[in-house]
Amino acid sequence: MASLKDVEQVADDLSNLVDQLRRELRDNASFERLVQLADEISEHADEAAGTFSTVNDALMNRLTELKGAGASSSSGSGSGSGSGSGSRSSRAKARS
């Protein structure tokens, strides 16, 4: 699983790409290069969003587990809701 530190690196990369985009707009306005930079920015933004989604799913799963354990440690419904959340986390990992 990617970490928030990884997202910091992605943010740095995004900042550099935006600077390149600005330079391109100022200097040459090569539409081919503008498209390439926009695609790279989009890919990096998607990577950051996937990381945030994965971290959010992990935190929500943990909260669900803690709520289930707090309500009743012997209740089957607490463990059932945790496994349902786990499948959501699997789908989020598959997306990213």
Side-chain angles (χ1 to χ4, degrees):
M1 174 171 81
S3 70
L4 294 178
K5 282 284 189 191
D6 297 330
V7 175
E8 185 175 356
Q9 179 60 50
V10 171
D12 290 341
D13 293 346
L14 277 168
S15 180
N16 290 332
L17 287 167
V18 168
D19 289 343
Q20 289 179 40
L21 183 67
R22 286 186 178 129
R23 278 193 304 273
E24 190 66 31
L25 286 167
R26 244 189 340 260
D27 299 340
N28 302 332
S30 163
F31 289 106
E32 184 176 332
R33 181 68 178 140
L34 292 173
V35 168
Q36 181 184 23
L37 288 167
D39 283 343
E40 289 183 51
I41 289 169
S42 174
E43 289 172 11
H44 280 74
D46 285 346
E47 184 180 338
T51 298
F52 292 141
S53 178
T54 300
V55 170
N56 182 61
D57 286 347
L59 291 172
M60 294 306 291
N61 286 340
R62 184 64 180 138
L63 286 173
T64 301
E65 289 171 7
L66 292 173
K67 283 182 183 178
S72 172
S73 60
S74 63
S75 171
S77 64
S79 62
S81 63
S83 63
S85 297
S87 64
R88 268 184 291 170
S89 178
S90 299
R91 286 193 301 269
K93 288 177 187 172
R95 278 195 316 259
S96 52

